């Protein structure tokens, strides 16, 4: 939270890098312990990335308050579409 408040883009990039490393760790896991560690890393990476993303979205919405709802809806639709596509 605090890091993402000070540095939105670095938080998003660091979080996404953590997601990539954790996904590779998930794919290479040879046991339950390794898998659990990789999945915990994935959760931490997603948390950091999403904190930066939500902060950036709030920054954009504060510039044009009349579009706040549309920005939030577009962001959620994009996330849902990405999950659906896989």
């Amino acid at each position: 939270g605090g890091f993402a408040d000070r540095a939105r883009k670095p938080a998003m990039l660091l979080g996404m890098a953590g997601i990539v490393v954790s996904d590779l760790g998930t794919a290479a896991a040879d046991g339950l312990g390794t898998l659990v560690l990789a999945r915990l890393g994935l959760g931490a990476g997603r948390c950091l990335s999403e904190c930066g993303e939500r902060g950036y979205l709030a920054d954009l919405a504060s510039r044009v308050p009349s579009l706040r709802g549309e920005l939030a809806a577009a962001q959620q639709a994009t996330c849902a579409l990405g999950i659906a596509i896989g």
Side-chain angles (χ1 to χ4, degrees), residues 5-32:
D5 285 340
R6 292 186 306 276
R8 309 263 193 244
K9 188 173 181 179
M12 289 187 287
L13 293 174
L14 187 61
M16 286 187 274
I19 291 168
V20 169
V21 170
S22 295
D23 280 344
L24 292 173
T26 297
D30 60 353
L32 183 60

Side-chain angles (χ1 to χ4, degrees), residues 5-81:
D5 285 340
R6 292 186 306 276
R8 309 263 193 244
K9 188 173 181 179
M12 289 187 287
L13 293 174
L14 187 61
M16 286 187 274
I19 291 168
V20 169
V21 170
S22 295
D23 280 344
L24 292 173
T26 297
D30 60 353
L32 183 60
T34 309
L35 179 63
V36 168
L37 285 175
R39 298 302 288 177
L40 287 172
L42 179 62
R46 285 191 52 113
C47 179
L48 185 56
S49 179
E50 288 182 20
C51 284
E53 172 191 324
R54 300 284 162 82
Y56 186 65
L57 184 63
D59 291 345
L60 288 176
S62 69
R63 292 182 187 168
V64 187
S66 62
L67 295 179
R68 181 176 293 149
E70 287 86 352
L71 286 170
Q75 187 267 341
Q76 289 298 319
T78 302
C79 287
L81 183 61

